[in-house]
């Protein structure tokens, strides 16, 4: 069964429970690429909620150093875009900042919007964890 399906119960310590929404969302991200880890997911979610933010703003809201935030979000960029890093997830695009010629603004690509919409759907369809 694909991790994209919510219905399957998970056996834990002799008890069965359903996957919760947070785990489901993390599995959807991991299914995109095995190196799409929690720090990348956090950066992605901040861009989802704040499209058009700068690197300094991302660092501030995520409470990371600018260098750390930069590495995380640059891995979300598409291959071939200057500054993008592996694994080139193609979820975030970087556009020139009209207020700062050295800076760039972060916006979701079509793939990024599709992932955001999928995560929104999972959250909207949330089912409480069944207690044994």
């Amino acid at each position: 069964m694909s991790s994209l399906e919510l219905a399957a119960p998970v056996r834990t310590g002799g008890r069965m429970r359903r996957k919760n929404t947070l785990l489901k969302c993390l599995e959807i991200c991991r299914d995109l690429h095995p190196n799409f880890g929690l720090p990348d997911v956090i950066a992605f979610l901040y861009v989802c909620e704040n499209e058009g933010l700068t690197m300094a703003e991302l660092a501030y809201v995520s409470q990371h150093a600018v260098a750390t935030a930069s590495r995380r979000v640059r891995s979300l960029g598409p291959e071939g875009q200057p500054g993008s890093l592996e694994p080139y997830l193609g979820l975030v695009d970087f556009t020139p900042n009209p207020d700062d010629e050295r800076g760039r603004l972060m916006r979701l690509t079509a793939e990024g919007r599709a992932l955001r919409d999928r995560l929104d759907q999972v959250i909207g369809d949330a089912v409480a964890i069944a207690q044994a």
Side-chain angles (χ1 to χ4, degrees):
M1 176 178 278
S2 167
S3 65
L4 296 179
E5 298 176 37
L6 256 179
V10 177
R11 182 163 294 284
T12 57
R15 298 184 323 165
M16 297 295 284
R17 66 171 179 79
R18 297 174 70 86
K19 294 179 193 172
N20 72 25
T21 303
L22 180 57
L23 288 173
K24 178 68 181 145
C25 288
L26 291 173
E27 287 182 356
I28 289 170
C29 292
R30 184 183 60 198
D31 285 347
L32 289 177
H33 193 282
N35 292 334
F36 191 8
L38 184 58
D40 305 304
V41 173
I42 291 169
F44 173 73
L45 293 174
Y46 275 116
V47 174
C48 287
E49 292 185 351
N50 303 281
E51 276 199 81
L53 80 166
T54 66
M55 200 65 69
E57 292 166 338
L58 175 63
Y60 177 79
V61 297
S62 64
Q63 299 180 18
H64 288 109
V66 172
T68 302
S70 174
R71 277 191 305 277
R72 297 283 46 100
V73 79
R74 288 171 34 207
S75 72
L76 303 175
E79 187 170 6
Q81 185 170 55
S84 288
L85 298 173
E86 290 184 9
Y88 307 114
L89 295 171
L91 302 172
V92 174
D93 196 19
F94 309 102
T95 59
N97 184 346
D99 298 327
D100 178 0
E101 65 185 41
R102 298 173 302 145
R104 297 181 295 166
L105 304 177
M106 293 168 265
R107 301 190 188 285
L108 297 177
T109 63
E111 293 85 357
R113 287 189 298 277
L115 176 58
R116 177 204 57 204
D117 294 346
R118 175 69 178 119
L119 298 177
D120 277 346
Q121 178 186 358
V122 169
I123 292 166
D125 295 343
V127 176
I129 297 174
Q131 298 298 317

